[in-house]
Amino acid sequence: MSEEIKEKTEKSYCVLGVGEREFLVPKESVVQVLDITRIFPIPGAPDYIVGALPVRGKIIPAVDLAKIYNIERLNYSDNKLLVIEVKGEKIGILSDISPFFVSFESDIVVEDFINPEKLFEQLKVSYQKPAENLKSGFAGETSTGKQEK
């Protein structure tokens, strides 16, 4: 009998921190990480959109997951902005830590995974809905897309 060798593949993620919680975003969705110098408020925007800032000639909305998950933010002064791209559009996510990259074997299930496409769609659809309706599209999913209980 011949033994089949299974080649293990890895998945790479960017880790960002909100308060004492960490979230994972697929590496391929990450455009860049920025130091935040100034965020311009957007009148009438939901409270989870803290404002916008210019990035490479485009205006990028800055999303605060702490407002969505009711997480106590540790520090507003050292925030970084993780810019992700979905379907040609960019959004920024505030992070309390300098985001960093990690890799896991593809068979490992990761928690607090952010599906960028769902995040983007939820933000577009829920712009005028309460933040409570957004929680299902952000995190609490596994890397396979299955909702955690």
Side-chain angles (χ1 to χ4, degrees), residues 68-128:
I68 294 166
Y69 289 107
N70 197 24
I71 299 171
E72 184 177 339
R73 186 168 289 288
L74 300 176
N75 185 348
Y76 272 104
S77 63
D78 295 329
N79 286 139
K80 303 288 186 191
L81 190 75
L82 179 69
V83 180
I84 61 173
E85 184 169 353
V86 181
K87 299 179 182 179
E89 298 289 333
K90 294 177 182 156
I91 58 173
I93 303 172
L94 292 178
S95 179
D96 291 341
I97 61 171
S98 290
F100 58 94
F101 293 91
V102 295
S103 294
F104 299 108
E105 290 180 5
S106 60
D107 59 345
I108 293 178
V109 176
V110 296
E111 294 181 10
D112 285 339
F113 172 78
I114 294 176
N115 180 324
E117 287 189 16
K118 281 189 177 182
L119 169 71
F120 187 73
E121 289 303 314
Q122 293 275 340
L123 286 174
K124 280 178 30 180
V125 170
S126 302
Y127 183 75
Q128 295 182 2

Side-chain angles (χ1 to χ4, degrees), residues 1 6 30 48 67 74 80 99 104 112 117 146:
M1 283 193 275
K6 290 185 179 179
V30 177
Y48 58 85
K67 305 272 184 175
L74 300 176
K80 303 288 186 191
F104 299 108
D112 285 339
E117 287 189 16
K146 294 180 181 173

Side-chain angles (χ1 to χ4, degrees), residues 28-58:
E28 59 272 8
S29 298
V30 177
V31 175
Q32 69 186 107
V33 176
L34 299 170
D35 288 319
I36 298 173
T37 53
R38 182 169 180 199
I39 295 178
F40 298 92
I42 302 173
D47 65 345
Y48 58 85
I49 297 180
V50 294
L53 63 160
V55 178
R56 297 182 183 178
K58 302 265 184 185

